[in-house]
Amino acid sequence: AGAPADPCGAAKVRAHVGHPADAAMRAAVARETGAKAIRWLTPDSAVTMDYRPDRLNVVLDKANVVRSARCG
């Protein structure tokens, strides 16, 4: 009944919040979420406004630390 509430697996990124987005962690996020597309967003990222529910957006701070994640 309807679309899943978390089609990109954003909730599975919670364990990584507060950790640096190094290569191993990025691979783990891809593996754990199964997201078809992942955008790693830094404070100066240019972001298109197209909404894709299956795309995972991982928000990083200027120190490359994960702050949040959302679908879109």
Side-chain angles (χ1 to χ4, degrees):
D6 188 18
C8 71
K12 295 175 181 163
V13 180
R14 282 195 197 114
H16 298 286
V17 170
H19 297 268
D22 60 17
M25 192 273 271
R26 288 173 186 243
V29 166
R31 186 176 60 250
E32 292 164 12
T33 64
K36 297 196 179 11
I38 302 174
R39 284 197 298 194
W40 299 90
L41 305 176
T42 57
D44 56 353
S45 291
V47 180
T48 60
M49 297 309 294
D50 60 313
Y51 180 77
R52 291 179 39 205
D54 63 333
R55 180 173 52 206
L56 174 63
N57 293 294
V58 181
V59 180
L60 307 174
D61 66 16
K62 63 185 177 206
N64 200 40
V65 172
V66 175
R67 289 294 156 216
S68 65
R70 66 182 183 271
C71 298

